[in-house]
Amino acid sequence: MLKINRENLKSSHQLVWFIIDFLMLGLLIINLTFIIWDSIYNFVAVQNLLKEHAPAIQSAYHPIHERFIFYDLIFVSIFLTEFFVRWGYAIKAKIYDRWYFYPFIHWYDLVGCIPVGSLRFLRILRVISIIYRLHQYKIIDITNTRIYRFVNFYYEAFMEELSDRIVLKVLSGVQQEVKRGSPLFDKIQEDILYPRRDMLSDWISKRVAEAAQEGYVPNRGALRSYLEDRVDNALKQNLELSRLKYLPVVGPTIQETLEEAVGDIVAHVIHQILEDLASASNHAFIEDIVNVFLPTPGEVRADEAQNEALINLIIEIIDAIKGQVRVKHWRAELP
């Protein structure tokens, strides 16, 4: 059921507009009911049926039917009066940037007042706009109503089906472009990435330095101990080095010295590499790596086998994405 929030109603400074909205909502429902009933009564078969089974109703309503336009114009005059009052309030309160914006934004209110044929049913949009406005003000809550849940469910299902078809169409088009050898990737590399190669080098250099400083510098002692232990363990398992201990007198000393020296050298090299990466001096190294991935236009390209492998990889990735897009999540939510 539709719930009314009394606290928001009491605190709202737009209490007058709330009352007007509810009055207009009631009049619109009555008017639309009147229009629907008159449209049904307009059929001769319905009139004959009423004459036969309910002559009192037929004789009472037939004069109203003949003057339907007059009675509908009474409702239209009320709707137009409310429309112009709201327009005047919008101008006074400067709700919109220009005074003439209101009728364009609320066109359905104006067009629905035209007492011609199917245009009358545009008044349904006015009902929806009033309910939506009251919901925005938190005067009423429509999210718990069955109608809202029903409409919202099928709206979400429709939008998911529509968006899935669009995405699948776009991805299939991308696959066809890749298969045909579209120059898109070359354009991205040459026109977008290559001109920004220096910027990419600077950015990657800073990110690598930050990662090294945050990850290595605080843990350099633990990392050094770990490296020395791993090197020592590897050297002890080395058959050639283990034979040194069989040398008379100096064998064990040489073996121990070598183990310590190799462990120290490896730890020092790793330490120096990470120190360099954590400093600004890593820029040249990073720049060389970026230059490898983003060569100057006109340099030697990858061979055909590599290009074919890359194309197949991209197509398989797109196929995986399409498979995920085809999953219908709304079906899992069916009541």
Side-chain angles (χ1 to χ4, degrees), residues 15 17 44 58 62 77 91 93 122 124 128 158 171 176 194 201 226 236 241 254 297 300 318 323:
L15 178 61
W17 292 116
V44 176
Q58 194 276 335
H62 194 73
S77 63
I91 295 173
L122 286 175
I124 295 175
I128 295 172
F158 170 76
L171 291 176
Q176 294 300 321
Y194 177 73
S201 298
Y226 172 78
K236 287 180 179 178
L241 189 62
I254 294 175
V300 179
I318 295 175

Side-chain angles (χ1 to χ4, degrees), residues 180-314:
R180 285 197 297 263
S182 172
L184 174 63
F185 299 105
D186 291 336
K187 288 183 179 179
I188 292 174
Q189 178 174 321
E190 296 177 5
D191 299 340
I192 299 175
L193 295 179
Y194 177 73
R196 296 169 175 82
R197 191 165 61 174
D198 293 338
M199 181 191 71
L200 290 172
S201 298
D202 293 339
W203 182 80
I204 295 174
S205 175
K206 290 178 182 178
R207 295 296 296 173
V208 170
E210 290 175 2
Q213 288 175 354
E214 294 175 4
Y216 168 68
V217 174
N219 302 301
R220 67 176 68 185
L223 179 61
R224 184 181 181 88
S225 299
Y226 172 78
L227 289 173
E228 289 176 348
D229 290 341
R230 301 313 302 168
V231 170
D232 183 61
N233 184 56
L235 290 175
K236 287 180 179 178
Q237 295 179 6
N238 184 272
L239 182 61
E240 287 75 10
L241 189 62
S242 63
R243 290 173 180 171
L244 291 174
K245 66 180 179 181
Y246 296 112
L247 292 173
V249 183
V250 295
T253 304
I254 294 175
Q255 182 187 22
E256 183 178 352
T257 303
L258 282 174
E259 290 177 356
E260 292 179 357
V262 172
D264 187 67
I265 291 170
V266 171
H268 181 74
V269 169
I270 299 296
H271 169 76
Q272 190 61 50
I273 291 173
L274 292 174
E275 283 284 348
D276 291 340
L277 289 176
S279 66
S281 61
N282 71 355
H283 186 273
F285 172 70
I286 299 297
E287 187 175 8
D288 291 339
I289 295 177
V290 172
N291 290 340
V292 171
F293 287 100
L294 293 176
T296 303
E299 291 183 0
V300 179
R301 303 287 182 178
D303 57 31
E304 293 297 327
Q306 289 177 331
N307 286 335
E308 187 67 25
L310 179 60
I311 289 173
N312 291 333
L313 175 62
I314 294 173

Side-chain angles (χ1 to χ4, degrees), residues 130-184:
I130 291 174
I131 293 175
Y132 178 73
R133 184 162 58 244
L134 293 174
H135 178 74
Q136 271 193 319
Y137 292 155
K138 298 182 180 180
I139 302 300
I140 61 175
D141 183 11
I142 63 173
T143 56
N144 293 323
T145 60
R146 291 184 179 180
I147 295 176
Y148 175 83
R149 290 198 296 267
F150 176 82
V151 172
N152 185 65
F153 173 78
Y154 284 101
Y155 170 78
E156 293 293 338
F158 170 76
M159 292 304 295
E160 183 177 347
E161 290 287 343
L162 180 62
S163 61
D164 286 355
R165 290 181 181 274
I166 294 172
V167 171
L168 289 173
K169 184 69 175 177
V170 171
L171 291 176
S172 297
V174 172
Q175 283 182 313
Q176 294 300 321
E177 290 290 327
V178 172
K179 289 178 181 178
R180 285 197 297 263
S182 172
L184 174 63

